[in-house]
């Protein structure tokens, strides 16, 4: 059911690259939503802050690979007839490589907004949403943008592991650059390995220049 029939032809690489990119972007969207909610709550609620900040520190210290196998087996059991469990596992593990760094960045930015900015928001009678949208989030965007770049870089590492994961005689690979590279290594196909490295490099550079770089400049 889970065995992926991988085509090592260079013509198949655009499809596999697209699959990998979509998983990374989906995980980033979840990470960003988590960051906005969690960091804002921790920065604005003093009582919750005493629990949320240490909890976040604990979560980021747990190695992803320690819970990858149990999570994978649970998700496969929940979705035995499709690859949905594998996809959700991949997205979640990438999320754990991205979210903590981004959340700490936004939290510290929200805690360090200059007092004159808050005074201006008070003068304009901003409600909590207007204050967050027009004062706090713009102030925090620079740090969040740079940390997003670092988080995406870490996410690609765990994506490659997820896409090429094999446990005994069970093949849990997902079609993507990770499984393409693992199949190329298994067959000793040096040309396919180079094609995979080139596709991965092109994808990362394209995302950096088309998505992250414009945000940083803005």
């Amino acid at each position: 059911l889970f065995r992926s029939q991988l085509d090592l032809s260079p013509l198949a690489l655009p499809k596999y690259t697209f699959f990998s990119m979509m998983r990374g972007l989906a995980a980033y969207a979840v990470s960003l939503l988590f960051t906005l909610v969690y960091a804002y709550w921790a920065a604005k609620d003093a009582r919750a802050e005493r629990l949320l900040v240490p909890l976040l520190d604990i979560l980021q210290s747990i190695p992803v690979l320690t819970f990858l196998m149990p999570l994978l087996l649970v998700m496969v059991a929940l979705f035995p007839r499709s690859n949905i469990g594998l996809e959700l596992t991949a997205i979640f593990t990438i999320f754990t490589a991205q979210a903590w760094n981004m959340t700490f960045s936004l939290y510290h930015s929200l805690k360090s907004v200059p007092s004159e900015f808050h005074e201006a928001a008070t003068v304009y009678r901003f409600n909590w949403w207007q204050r967050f949208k027009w004062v706090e989030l713009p102030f925090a965007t620079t740090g969040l943008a740079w940390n997003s770049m670092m988080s995406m870089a870490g996410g690609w590492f765990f994506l490659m592991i997820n896409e090429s994961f094999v446990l005994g005689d069970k093949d849990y690979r997902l079609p993507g650059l990770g499984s393409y590279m693992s199949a190329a290594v298994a067959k000793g196909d040096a040309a396919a390995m180079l094609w995979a490295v080139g596709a991965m490099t092109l994808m990362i550079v394209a995302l950096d220049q088309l998505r992250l770089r414009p945000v940083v400049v803005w």
Side-chain angles (χ1 to χ4, degrees):
L1 176 61
F2 304 106
R3 188 168 296 279
S4 301
Q5 299 300 325
L6 294 166
D7 181 4
L8 293 183
S9 166
L11 296 178
L13 268 177
K15 177 179 67 174
Y16 294 144
T17 303
F18 177 78
F19 290 156
S20 295
M21 182 177 65
M22 287 298 102
R23 292 180 190 113
L25 291 178
Y28 178 78
V30 176
S31 299
L32 183 60
L33 178 61
F34 174 88
T35 294
L36 295 175
V37 174
Y38 196 103
Y40 185 86
W41 187 15
K44 296 300 181 179
D45 188 334
R47 182 177 299 177
E49 181 181 21
R50 290 194 290 270
L51 172 64
L52 294 178
V53 174
L55 177 61
L56 190 66
D57 201 21
I58 293 171
L59 289 173
Q60 76 166 352
S61 67
I62 300 175
V64 176
L65 297 181
T66 59
F67 60 81
L68 172 59
M69 188 182 302
L71 175 65
L72 179 65
L73 296 177
V74 169
M75 296 305 294
V76 168
L78 290 175
F79 302 95
R81 299 185 181 277
S82 70
N83 279 355
I84 294 177
L86 298 179
E87 295 285 0
L88 292 177
T89 301
I91 291 173
F92 180 78
T93 51
I94 302 168
F95 161 84
T96 61
Q98 296 177 342
W100 321 138
N101 181 45
M102 295 166 57
T103 303
F104 267 121
S105 171
L106 182 60
Y107 164 76
H108 286 298
S109 294
L110 293 176
K111 296 292 288 186
S112 59
V113 175
S115 59
E116 57 266 27
F117 285 18
H118 288 298
E119 292 169 3
T122 301
V123 169
Y124 283 104
R125 299 181 181 180
F126 284 169
N127 58 31
W128 72 271
W129 169 246
Q130 291 172 319
R131 185 184 294 266
F132 178 69
K133 180 180 179 182
W134 298 113
V135 178
E136 296 168 336
L137 188 57
F139 176 80
T141 296
T142 300
L144 186 58
W146 284 110
N147 278 278
S148 292
M149 298 173 70
M150 298 299 295
S151 295
M152 286 294 292
W156 296 129
F157 171 75
F158 291 106
L159 175 62
M160 296 301 105
I161 294 177
N162 274 275
E163 289 182 343
S164 59
F165 192 77
V166 177
L167 180 61
D169 60 346
K170 297 290 187 179
D171 189 344
Y172 297 111
R173 290 180 297 175
L174 284 167
L177 288 175
S179 54
Y180 184 97
M181 175 64 85
S182 70
V185 171
K187 291 185 177 182
D189 191 335
M193 295 180 211
L194 292 175
W195 280 114
V197 171
M200 185 71 178
T201 303
L202 183 61
M203 179 184 68
I204 292 174
V205 171
L207 283 174
D208 177 72
Q209 293 299 311
L210 298 177
R211 189 179 69 88
L212 293 174
R213 181 67 178 173
V215 172
V216 172
V217 171
W218 172 74

